[in-house]
Amino acid sequence: MVLPHVLKFIEQRDNARLTTLALTLGYKHSEAFIQEVEGLLDSLDIPKYVAELQKEDIPTLARQAIKEAFGEYPVPEEMNVQQCQQLLEALLDKGAQ
């Protein structure tokens, strides 16, 4: 559910490792790889949104996620709290708001 959003964030940074991964897997560019991931999630009926996620919870979730992720885990690209909030907002079910 979150993976396509994270991959798009990494792609915006022109990440060479994402491009290499896509090319190694036989895709012409990273966007094609991301589209394939989105198609796979669709075929598996994985929801695009988190029904329980509330907009007012996003700032706290973003701060906690950044605190946990950066410093503990090796990550290909770092994001700040605002960028994490934007990613989480993409998971809001806009039809239910």
Side-chain angles (χ1 to χ4, degrees), residues 39-97:
L40 174 63
L41 296 179
D42 285 343
S43 73
L44 296 172
D45 292 326
I46 294 177
K48 294 182 186 298
Y49 308 105
V50 179
E52 299 81 5
L53 183 60
Q54 300 295 312
K55 188 168 181 66
E56 59 270 11
D57 296 331
I58 289 177
T60 301
L61 289 171
R63 283 191 305 276
Q64 290 172 343
I66 294 298
K67 182 178 178 182
E68 179 180 339
F70 302 113
E72 296 289 326
Y73 305 105
V75 293
E77 295 288 343
E78 288 193 21
M79 67 173 58
N80 61 37
V81 173
Q82 181 181 8
Q83 292 164 324
C84 187
Q85 285 180 260
Q86 290 172 344
L87 189 144
L88 290 169
E89 286 172 4
L91 299 174
L92 286 171
D93 185 352
K94 284 135 181 100
Q97 298 293 316

Side-chain angles (χ1 to χ4, degrees), residues 19-46:
T19 301
T20 300
L21 174 63
L23 294 173
T24 300
L25 293 173
Y27 298 94
K28 293 184 180 187
H29 46 77
S30 56
E31 180 58 34
F33 171 63
I34 295 169
Q35 289 173 351
E36 186 69 22
V37 170
E38 290 173 325
L40 174 63
L41 296 179
D42 285 343
S43 73
L44 296 172
D45 292 326
I46 294 177

Side-chain angles (χ1 to χ4, degrees), residues 7 9-24 29-30 76-77:
L7 291 173
F9 172 80
I10 294 170
E11 181 187 41
Q12 291 173 352
R13 300 276 183 102
D14 198 24
N15 185 285
R17 288 182 282 186
L18 178 59
T19 301
T20 300
L21 174 63
L23 294 173
T24 300
H29 46 77
S30 56
E77 295 288 343

